[in-house]
Amino acid sequence: MAFLTDKDRTYRTPEDICAHLGDDYARFEGAIVPPIFQNSLFVLPTETNGVTQTDYAYTRTSNPTVEIAERKIAALEGGDGALCFGSGVAAISSAILHFVRANSHVILVDSSYGCTLAFIKGYLHERFAVDFTLVEGSSVDEIAAAIRPETSLIYVESPSSLVFRMQDIAAIAELAKAHGIGTVIDNTYATPLHQQPLRHGIDIVCHTATKYMGGHSDILGGALIARREIIESIQNNERSLLGANIDPHQAWLLLRGLRTLPLRLKQHGESGRRVAEFLESHPKVEKVLYPGSATYPQPELFDRYLTGTNGLMSFIPRGTTEQAKRLVGLLHCFQNGCSWGGFESLAIYVGTPAYGNLVRIHVGLENVDTLIADLAQALERYDA
Ligand SMILES: *Cc1c(COP(=O)(O)O)cnc(C)c1O
């Protein structure tokens, strides 16, 4: 658990936060990269040079390497503090549990991440009698109509990571507050660089660090950011009791990822826009789903909340399901895989009855002309 210090608050831009906040050279013998505190135990209390060191006791409670990551992430989101977890779903399930009791009711957006839906619809509903209402999410009236006396949480994911639907998060936060209901958002798609939901009144922001924050497809991690009393409560309950901590080495790799997050995101955004434009103008592509593109169906929400684009999008190629599936196999630079946010380009067929023959692609850091040529040759061949 780490909270921002007064000094931390003097770092104001994402670039400066990622490069320097919390690195505290004087504390770490001048190391430009703070060391990994790869230990479970801190013995205490010890008198050293007249200073009693009682800050750390046990890594499940707090660890200096983990705390640097938490402070950087808290500053990027504009929260009081942050907690890191061993995965994105660990952060998300902890945030949900903070607001849910037996027999309470949850409203959640139906395009949310699969494990989030499974946690509420399957696990909490079936085992703990938590009730839920799925909403499409683009209308605040739809959400207002779903509120019951026992509703304790409204859960949103905006934009969502398959069909990229957005919700009016400021209006939803205001509605929730008026009814004493908690709000949680999965902000992984936007990253804190492109959307800061706490500033719009959302109570808890969740991220998986496995995607853009880590950025190298070599760690699993998660984080949540909130005001002080929520962070303290989750630290003392869900994180301490379920113990889904990030380990110090993963936190150190997360820090390395964060250092280049602003730069990487800029490139993913630029290349993503080029690829989306290519797909939108291609005769064999029926539809492109990409926040910020010319055909994106929620331009007002995009303009209101997001300050940038990235490399993740879906498209529907013309033709049959079999043809759409084959298209992914015809790509050479895009590897066939389900994650995203790393350096590498990925493509996967994720068609569903509700959404159609979706192919989701992640535009990585390879040369964008190479990627467009790869898509062009696959689209050329796929229905041959
Ligand atoms: C991947 C993902 C998650 C889950 O993160 P893990 O680190 O794999 O647990 C949650 N939300 C979104 C939007 C994701 O893409």
Side-chain angles (χ1 to χ4, degrees):
M1 169 173 68
F3 294 106
L4 291 183
T5 64
D6 288 342
K7 186 180 169 208
D8 290 347
R9 291 180 195 279
T10 65
Y11 293 94
R12 295 192 177 278
T13 68
E15 293 82 3
D16 300 342
I17 290 166
C18 291
H20 293 304
L21 184 152
D23 292 348
D24 224 342
Y25 308 113
R27 186 176 163 205
F28 301 121
E29 309 283 354
I32 191 69
V33 177
I36 313 177
F37 279 77
Q38 190 71 47
N39 51 301
S40 56
L41 172 67
F42 299 81
V43 288
L44 60 117
T46 307
E47 292 288 335
T48 47
N49 303 326
V51 180
T52 303
Q53 301 202 323
T54 54
D55 281 0
Y56 299 98
Y58 194 59
T59 282
R60 178 153 46 77
T61 311
S62 57
N63 174 286
T65 312
V66 174
E67 284 188 351
I68 299 171
E70 290 174 337
R71 282 160 62 195
K72 283 190 198 290
I73 292 169
L76 290 172
E77 280 289 0
D80 290 341
L83 288 163
C84 279
F85 290 83
S87 69
V89 300
I92 290 166
S93 53
S94 296
I96 292 170
L97 288 172
H98 174 76
F99 283 118
V100 167
R101 305 287 176 267
N103 303 310
S104 60
H105 172 249
V106 176
I107 298 170
L108 81 157
V109 169
D110 63 6
S111 53
S112 298
Y113 185 69
C115 289
T116 307
L117 292 171
F119 185 59
I120 292 171
K121 284 168 63 178
Y123 198 84
L124 292 179
H125 178 62
E126 282 169 21
R127 298 194 182 193
F128 300 98
V130 170
D131 211 350
F132 65 91
T133 303
L134 292 173
V135 291
E136 195 266 353
S138 52
S139 146
V140 181
D141 290 344
E142 180 198 18
I143 293 172
I147 291 175
R148 303 180 194 165
E150 64 275 20
T151 305
S152 64
L153 168 65
I154 299 175
Y155 183 98
V156 302
E157 185 180 324
S158 181
S160 60
S161 55
L162 198 54
V163 287
F164 310 106
R165 285 203 189 120
M166 290 187 72
Q167 295 96 50
D168 187 345
I169 56 174
I172 292 169
E174 195 184 325
L175 173 73
K177 277 200 172 62
H179 289 81
I181 298 169
T183 46
V184 174
I185 187 170
D186 182 337
N187 196 33
T188 300
Y189 180 85
T191 84
L193 273 63
H194 290 166
Q195 177 172 256
Q196 298 175 318
L198 298 175
R199 301 193 197 285
H200 299 292
I202 297 289
D203 292 314
I204 305 180
V205 176
C206 294
H207 283 282
T208 166
T210 311
K211 312 293 166 56
Y212 280 128
M213 282 187 176
H216 294 73
S217 298
D218 55 7
I219 60 164
L220 281 179
L224 62 80
I225 309 94
R227 58 182 180 274
R228 179 176 280 272
E229 62 269 25
I230 293 179
I231 294 293
E232 280 172 351
S233 172
I234 294 178
Q235 160 68 24
N236 293 332
N237 292 287
E238 290 77 18
R239 202 176 71 165
S240 287
L241 302 178
L242 300 176
N245 294 63
I246 195 167
D247 84 70
H249 186 234
Q250 303 292 293
W252 186 86
L253 285 168
L254 168 55
L255 282 171
R256 190 174 65 168
L258 286 174
R259 303 222 189 266
T260 56
L261 176 64
L263 194 59
R264 285 185 288 108
L265 209 53
K266 206 167 145 195
Q267 187 59 51
H268 285 294
E270 255 174 61
S271 299
R273 272 197 306 278
R274 288 267 318 274
V275 169
E277 279 164 19
F278 166 78
L279 291 172
E280 276 178 331
S281 66
H282 200 286
K284 285 186 186 169
V285 174
E286 189 181 307
K287 194 172 178 183
V288 175
L289 297 169
Y290 180 59
S293 74
T295 58
Y296 184 62
Q298 297 175 295
E300 309 82 20
L301 291 182
F302 179 89
D303 289 345
R304 177 148 180 221
Y305 292 113
L306 291 185
T307 55
T309 58
N310 68 26
L312 192 68
M313 68 192 76
S314 295
F315 68 97
I316 302 180
R318 292 191 197 284
T320 65
T321 298
E322 283 319 305
Q323 285 169 327
K325 283 183 183 162
R326 225 171 66 226
L327 178 65
V328 172
L330 294 174
L331 292 161
H332 303 306
C333 302
F334 288 81
Q335 302 302 307
N336 188 189
C338 66
S339 191
W340 57 279
F343 60 91
E344 76 285 16
S345 289
L346 295 168
I348 189 167
Y349 174 80
V350 282
T352 64
Y355 303 137
N357 285 328
L358 281 186
V359 173
R360 190 179 74 176
I361 60 172
H362 177 247
V363 177
L365 298 174
E366 301 92 339
N367 183 286
V368 65
D369 294 320
T370 312
L371 297 175
I372 289 173
D374 192 28
L375 286 162
Q377 65 79 25
L379 284 163
E380 178 68 30
R381 291 198 292 151
Y382 89 101
D383 61 353

